């Protein structure tokens, strides 16, 4: 039954007594959520018998749309729910708040109130807690956040469970405050690399994560020579070789790698050829030859025509009986190598002698890829670097070097470029400090 005119007048008097702002606020609520009336098929809930449509009205309400004499609006004002709301001290306090009065006049607020999603959100306790957070209030005023909030990509990311987990990670929070990380995020090369499936796989590898925390690795990453070497297919192939991985962990090889004489020798084409010779590999494993190689006289006389004098040495005489040495002695390449002062100098080194007896090195010496790498000036330079020598002894690097994904990434020019970046090296150290 429709309310009497007397009842309507009484309702209006009570509303006006509460203040004109109450009428304005209720008008907004009414036209946002209850107007126009909907059929029972579209109803989603009632307030005093007046049904609420959940669909969003795209037309923005203007002051001309508000008709305080509208029968439906009058009925809403006289409902028990609204009467209780008017009597609520919290509601009365809100109606007297000048800030709310200003907000009620804002067309944008009226438009927001018309959205069913906003009404649902307002009933969510989590949103209520967030709305009270001063940090959120500050962020909401930031124009940059407003722009980001309109980005569909950001909206999609917010719905990602992985992103939610990451946002709860204290380490990520610390990293986000790091200016170096912010700079890296702006680097197009890093953005491109981040989309690389091989890099994504490597990033999940615990071995790489451990290695990334190593300050020596960070230093090596900044070395242009290492970056160049990483692009070399030969090195990538060699890095996957289990024999090289084993040798890399050998302290003797690490020491030898720092020796300038060895670095010079490995650049020699003759040495590269000799290293591929199975006979030389066999000789290197011969303890007698290793001992003779450390003999200063042999080193000198190996370059001299008076080599025959050495034949008086019992040890050399014994070596001459070796069929393998006899075969090798006929090889012109060996003869050339014997005249090389660098080899003669190196032959006196106990570390070289020990390495020559190592079966793993002998096996590796027959590999054409290793021979090719030995002739590379960049590798020779790197071999003199103490940091590289240290890295070669690291079991984690040796293990990682056998990984095809790591080898593939090493050939990627973009990763090589990134390795030269001081910011990336700094970031790697930053991750180490976080852990």
């Amino acid at each position: 039954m429709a309310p009497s005119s007397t009842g309507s007048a009484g309702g209006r008097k009570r509303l006006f007594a509460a203040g004109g702002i109450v009428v304005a606020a209720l008008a907004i609520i009414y036209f946002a959520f209850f107007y126009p009336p909907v059929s029972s098929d579209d109803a989603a809930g009632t307030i005093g018998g007046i049904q609420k449509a959940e669909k969003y009205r795209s037309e923005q309400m203007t002051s001309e749309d508000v008709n305080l004499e509208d029968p439906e609006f009058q009925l809403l004002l006289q409902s028990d729910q609204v009467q209780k709301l008017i009597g609520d001290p919290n509601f009365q306090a809100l109606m007297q708040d000048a800030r709310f009065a200003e907000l009620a006049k804002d067309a944008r607020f009226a438009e927001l109130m018309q959205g069913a999603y906003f009404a649902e959100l307002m009933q969510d306790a989590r949103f209520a807690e967030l709305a009270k957070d001063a940090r959120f209030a500050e962020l909401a005023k930031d124009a940059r956040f407003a722009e980001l909030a309109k980005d569909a990509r950001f909206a999609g990311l917010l719905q990602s469970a992985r992103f939610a987990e990451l946002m709860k990670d204290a380490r990520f929070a610390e990293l986000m405050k790091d200016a170096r990380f912010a700079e890296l995020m702006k680097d197009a090369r890093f953005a491109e690399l981040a989309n690389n499936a091989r890099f994504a796989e490597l990033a999940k590898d615990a071995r790489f994560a451990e290695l990334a925390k190593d300050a020596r690795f960070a230093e090596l990453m900044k070395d242009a020579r290492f970056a160049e070497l990483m692009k070399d297919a030969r090195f990538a192939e060699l890095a996957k070789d289990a024999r090289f991985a084993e040798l890399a962990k050998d302290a003797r090889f690490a020491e030898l790698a720092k020796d300038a004489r060895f670095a010079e020798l490995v650049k020699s084409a003759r040495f590269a050829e000799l290293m591929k010779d199975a006979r030389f590999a066999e000789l290197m494993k011969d303890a007698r030859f290793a001992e003779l190689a450390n003999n200063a006289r042999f080193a000198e006389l190996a370059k001299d025509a008076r080599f025959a004098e050495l034949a008086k040495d019992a040890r050399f005489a014994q070596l001459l009986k070796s069929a393998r040495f006899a075969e090798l002695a006929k090889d012109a390449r060996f003869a050339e190598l014997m005249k090389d002062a660098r080899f003669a100098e190196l032959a006196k080194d106990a570390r070289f002698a020990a390495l020559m007896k190592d079966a793993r090195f002998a096996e590796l010496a027959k590999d054409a890829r290793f021979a090719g790498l030995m002739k590379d000036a960049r590798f020779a330079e790197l071999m003199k670097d103490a940091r590289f020598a240290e890295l070669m002894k690291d079991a984690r690097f040796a293990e990682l070097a056998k990984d095809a994904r790591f080898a593939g990434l090493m050939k990627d020019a973009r990763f090589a470029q990134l390795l030269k970046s001081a910011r990336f090296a700094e970031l790697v150290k930053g991750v180490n400090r976080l852990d």
Side-chain angles (χ1 to χ4, degrees), residues 134-416:
R135 297 170 298 178
F136 180 73
E138 282 297 312
L139 188 63
K141 292 186 284 187
D142 194 314
R144 297 170 298 179
F145 179 74
E147 283 297 314
L148 187 63
K150 291 186 284 186
D151 193 314
R153 297 169 300 178
F154 181 69
L157 191 62
L158 288 177
Q159 297 174 27
S160 169
R162 294 175 301 175
F163 182 72
E165 284 297 314
L166 187 63
M167 293 302 289
K168 290 188 286 186
D169 194 313
R171 297 171 299 178
F172 182 72
E174 283 295 314
L175 195 60
M176 289 294 284
K177 292 186 280 186
D178 195 315
R180 298 168 301 178
F181 182 71
E183 283 296 312
L184 189 63
M185 289 297 97
K186 293 187 282 187
D187 193 314
R189 297 171 301 174
F190 181 76
E192 189 175 355
L193 188 63
N195 288 311
N196 187 302
R198 293 175 300 179
F199 180 75
E201 283 296 313
L202 187 64
K204 292 186 286 186
D205 195 309
R207 297 170 300 177
F208 180 74
E210 280 297 311
L211 192 62
K213 293 187 282 187
D214 195 312
R216 298 170 301 176
F217 182 72
E219 284 296 313
L220 192 64
M221 291 294 97
K222 292 189 285 186
D223 195 312
R225 298 169 302 177
F226 184 70
E228 282 295 313
L229 191 62
M230 290 296 97
K231 292 187 281 186
D232 193 313
R234 297 171 301 176
F235 182 76
E237 284 296 313
L238 188 64
K240 292 187 287 185
D241 195 309
R243 298 169 301 176
F244 180 74
E246 281 297 311
L247 189 64
K249 292 186 284 187
D250 195 309
R252 297 170 301 176
F253 181 75
E255 283 296 313
L256 192 63
K258 293 187 283 186
D259 195 309
R261 298 169 300 177
F262 181 72
E264 281 296 311
L265 187 63
V266 296
K267 289 190 284 186
S268 169
R270 295 172 300 176
F271 182 74
E273 283 295 313
L274 193 60
M275 292 295 284
K276 291 188 283 186
D277 195 311
R279 296 169 300 177
F280 182 71
E282 282 296 313
L283 187 63
M284 291 297 98
K285 290 187 284 185
D286 195 312
R288 298 169 298 175
F289 181 78
E291 188 176 356
L292 191 60
N294 284 306
N295 190 302
R297 294 174 300 171
F298 180 76
E300 284 296 318
L301 293 174
K303 300 180 290 181
D304 201 296
R306 297 169 297 175
F307 185 76
E309 285 293 319
L310 195 58
K312 299 174 188 176
D313 192 302
R315 295 169 302 177
F316 184 67
Q318 185 179 4
L319 187 61
L320 290 179
K321 298 175 190 175
S322 168
R324 293 173 298 180
F325 183 79
E327 278 294 312
L328 194 60
K330 300 176 201 174
D331 196 312
R333 298 170 301 177
F334 183 75
E336 283 293 317
L337 186 64
M338 291 295 100
K339 290 188 284 183
D340 194 315
R342 296 169 302 181
F343 184 78
E345 186 70 14
L346 193 61
K348 293 185 280 186
D349 195 311
R351 297 170 302 178
F352 182 75
L355 189 64
M356 292 299 99
K357 290 187 285 185
D358 195 311
R360 298 170 301 175
F361 183 78
E363 186 69 14
L364 193 62
K366 292 186 272 186
D367 195 313
R369 298 170 300 177
F370 182 75
L373 191 63
M374 291 293 99
K375 291 189 283 186
D376 195 313
R378 297 169 302 179
F379 184 73
E381 277 295 307
L382 196 60
M383 292 290 281
K384 292 187 269 185
D385 194 314
R387 298 169 303 176
F388 182 74
E390 283 293 313
L391 188 64
M392 289 295 98
K393 291 189 285 185
D394 195 311
R396 298 169 302 177
F397 181 77
E399 185 69 16
L400 193 60
K402 292 185 278 188
D403 196 313
R405 298 171 300 176
F406 182 74
L409 191 61
M410 291 298 97
K411 290 189 275 189
D412 195 311
R414 298 168 302 177
F415 186 68

Side-chain angles (χ1 to χ4, degrees), residues 82-95:
V82 172
Q83 292 302 312
K84 288 178 182 178
L85 181 63
I86 293 172
D88 190 317
N90 292 325
F91 182 74
Q92 292 174 5
L94 181 64
M95 293 303 100

